[in-house]
Amino acid sequence: MASMRIPFPDKICYGGDYNPEQWPEEVWRDDMRLMKKAGVNFVSVGIFSWALLQPDKERYDFAWLDRLMDLLADNGIYADLATATASPPAWMARDYPETLPVDENGARYTNGSRQHYCPNSPVYREYGQKLVRRLVNRYKSHPALAMWHINNEYGCHISRCYCKQCEAAFRVWLKDQYGSIETLNDRWGTNFWSQTYYDWSEIHLPGKTPTYANPGQLLDYQRFMSDSLLECYLGEYRVIKEGTPDLPVMTNFMPHFKPLDYFKWAKHMDIVTWDSYPEPTAGIPVGAAMDHDLMRSLRGGQPFMLMEQVTSQVNWRQHNPLKRPGVMRLWSYQALARGGDGIMFFQWRASRAGAEKFHGAMVTHTGDEHSRVYKEVEQLGNELKMLDEIVGSRISAKAAIVFDYDNWWALELPSKPSADVKYIEQIRHYYDHLFRKNIAVDFVQPADDLSRYDLVIAPALYMVAEGVADNLERFVGNGGTLLTTFFSGIVDEHDRIHLGGYPAPLRKLLGICVEEFDPMLPGQTNRVAVTEATLYGEYSCNLWADLIRLEGAQSIAAFTDDFFAGMPAATVNAFGKGKAYYVGTQAEPAFISRLLDRLLSDSNVEAPLAAPEGVEVTCREHEDRRYWFILNHLPETVTIPLPPGQFDDMLGRTTVSDNIVLQKNELSILRSLNV
């Protein structure tokens, strides 16, 4: 075996999920040849191999994994070694059926797929941690080992369980949160509908109820399940860190995934990794860009790794079109452009059997290097070798969007004024314009230090927990610009109404009182009129209308229709050295664009360089260098003017100035010295 152990990561990681257990070992040797030809330096192994590693409850078999790890080391390829706990073996379901999860109707799931485990099962956790301890003890000094991969996509299929184990664990969790049942009754407001509890044993999981369950209980159950899955992760994490304290440990996240509080999870990961699968014919991947920015933000701007994407097509949509030539490469560079230090795929070699046999791979069913897909894989892998110096560089953002999982969960609980108010959609209304304008965006939590930003946007901040209003007032008072929107400042962290008139905790900051709100029916619209020059015009609006009374704020837009015609639809309030804006409806994109352009200008927040809409531009920085990523998502050739000076074209290995010309699906990465 070659000696390989180095600090990780010191280079851009490139590779994919490698599942050699699906193939005879003569194929492994050809895999090594093809990997080296494609510039692969990193693979994930063993993610779904528990059944092979542990044939029964007493017996383990690591012989095949020994040979694989040695083969990787001999070929200079690092291993992201998985704990294999994402899919328990069949013997566990047979011998311990209580490890299987239960749905809200009381039906127990069966094995035969994946993720068939209850996160609060002591048996599942015990056997999983025993396996992890054996893996750590066996491979902790192996030269191929670079990173540990715990489980896989936690909560993807089973994010909630309603079994008796979970019910008992929920009661313990509630005791830890509230201390006494009297406090719980107060926080949940159980005097409503005669829900008062006198003993912890009376509290059940919010499964199948005749009508709406208690909102506080639903919210806490969501928190509890996120914490339960996190505790599964942490049980394995502790075992790994005990044996290999210096190796990075992670699990792979998913795009804007609602069941898990990724900000909380990321505190226990050494590097954030995630899986991205945008629909390839849906146009410019704005949603993927937003998720890249979110993943980069989870650990305060630390670079992340794109752990999974597909080379060509997936298998799990109703219709699965191909990525067109050049799209895979372009979208891979989008991940780098937004803070990624690794580009990985699911998977290396397309499976012959199983549920994902039609899922794309780096090596297709042709099995060789002659496919279009492999040639694109090879091109990308060998290009990335020229970019290792980018590793560790960061993005400096002056604009931020508040993203809060508790707010997401609470906002979308049932029994709301409108079921059509969706958190991610409200964020996208504002993020999309910033993307089109190439404004760098961080995602922050409501209680975070906001002092590094000039503009903070908090769409649909329904939940304002204790201390959040003070934090926002401090930000605006010190000169920041805040924009928030309808249905904000409504409840506390237990989903109880803030008394004193909407939005009670934000009334002073915003200078308004929302007397009523009028959710609109599907297809219903109103209009807002603006008379001031920069926003002048009439704009359509839908979904929601706030009836706003001014309490020091100024109206910048007014409704034109219905009995509240002439009342403010959007406001601005001077507060300390800054300003707080409020938009009391869902206005059409043209209004949002003009408003954001005004706020960006007033806050001196600018794009790295001017480019037409559809050309994505970002800038990553080391202390002494900048890296400008310019990606052309347009169907035609574009010419981009450059700032004064000379730039190194890192892919073309030339020096450029004045402008750069990019064809369809092309990109450029330019390097300049920081001055």
Side-chain angles (χ1 to χ4, degrees), residues 479-495:
T481 298
L482 173 72
L483 169 65
T484 190
T485 72
F486 62 90
F487 212 34
S488 291
I490 307 299
V491 300
D492 67 9
E493 57 267 42
H494 304 287
D495 204 26

Side-chain angles (χ1 to χ4, degrees), residues 540-552:
S540 67
C541 62
N542 61 11
L543 186 66
W544 192 281
D546 277 336
L547 278 62
I548 298 172
R549 183 178 72 237
L550 299 178
E551 295 182 334

Side-chain angles (χ1 to χ4, degrees), residues 502 511-518 520 526-531 537-539 541 544-551 553-572 582-585 591:
Y502 311 130
I512 62 171
C513 176
V514 177
E515 296 186 353
E516 299 177 86
F517 31 70
D518 186 25
M520 300 185 201
N526 201 317
R527 297 188 68 78
V528 297
V530 188
T531 56
E538 283 197 8
Y539 307 87
C541 62
W544 192 281
D546 277 336
L547 278 62
I548 298 172
R549 183 178 72 237
L550 299 178
E551 295 182 334
Q554 293 181 335
S555 175
I556 60 174
F559 291 108
T560 64
D561 301 329
D562 216 320
F563 76 94
F564 45 85
M567 293 182 66
T571 62
V572 59
Y582 184 83
V583 179
T585 185
F591 175 82

Side-chain angles (χ1 to χ4, degrees), residues 281-519:
T281 62
I284 298 172
V286 184
M290 189 181 93
D291 287 312
H292 288 312
D293 288 344
L294 175 60
M295 296 301 150
R296 186 190 69 246
S297 301
L298 293 177
R299 287 182 56 84
Q302 176 186 314
F304 61 89
M305 284 182 63
L306 178 58
M307 208 66 200
E308 287 186 23
Q309 64 168 342
V310 70
T311 54
S312 54
Q313 64 196 142
V314 298
N315 66 289
W316 39 264
R317 292 189 175 101
Q318 287 296 105
H319 305 93
N320 297 287
L322 289 170
K323 286 181 178 175
R324 271 40 187 177
V327 171
M328 179 275 286
R329 175 175 176 264
L330 184 68
W331 290 7
S332 296
Y333 278 111
Q334 183 189 58
L336 245 60
R338 295 190 169 268
D341 276 355
I343 304 296
M344 308 284 285
F345 296 89
F346 182 84
Q347 57 180 326
W348 165 249
R349 184 180 285 272
S351 300
R352 184 179 185 183
E356 293 182 308
K357 59 182 173 293
F358 290 114
H359 193 291
M362 301 170 80
V363 176
T364 68
H365 285 141
T366 64
D368 56 33
E369 63 266 53
H370 303 303
S371 69
R372 173 186 70 87
V373 166
Y374 180 87
K375 290 176 182 177
E376 289 196 22
V377 164
E378 181 182 11
Q379 177 192 0
L380 176 61
N382 285 291
E383 284 178 352
L384 292 175
K385 295 177 182 178
M386 300 184 283
L387 305 176
D388 287 340
E389 69 175 76
I390 292 174
V391 169
S393 61
R394 296 197 172 208
I395 290 174
S396 178
K398 292 299 181 183
I401 294 177
V402 173
F403 193 106
D404 181 36
Y405 286 87
D406 280 313
N407 183 70
W408 189 0
W409 298 335
L411 177 68
E412 296 184 8
L413 289 176
S415 188
K416 290 293 192 304
S418 173
D420 294 335
V421 179
K422 304 298 184 184
Y423 191 45
I424 297 300
E425 291 177 6
Q426 293 308 310
I427 288 175
R428 281 288 302 270
H429 279 300
Y430 292 86
Y431 178 88
D432 285 12
H433 181 72
L434 300 177
F435 172 85
R436 292 195 301 270
K437 290 293 184 177
N438 289 314
I439 302 299
V441 176
D442 285 345
F443 286 93
V444 295
Q445 295 183 280
D448 283 352
D449 179 4
L450 304 175
S451 60
R452 77 184 75 173
Y453 304 105
D454 297 313
L455 172 63
V456 172
I457 303 171
L461 192 61
Y462 168 73
M463 175 184 288
V464 174
E466 184 178 356
V468 169
D470 292 338
N471 192 43
L472 296 177
E473 288 181 5
R474 187 162 48 249
F475 167 70
V476 178
N478 289 332
T481 298
L482 173 72
L483 169 65
T484 190
T485 72
F486 62 90
F487 212 34
S488 291
I490 307 299
V491 300
D492 67 9
E493 57 267 42
H494 304 287
D495 204 26
R496 302 179 303 178
I497 296 292
H498 283 296
L499 299 179
Y502 311 130
L506 304 177
R507 277 180 68 175
K508 181 174 68 171
L509 173 60
L510 296 172
I512 62 171
C513 176
V514 177
E515 296 186 353
E516 299 177 86
F517 31 70
D518 186 25

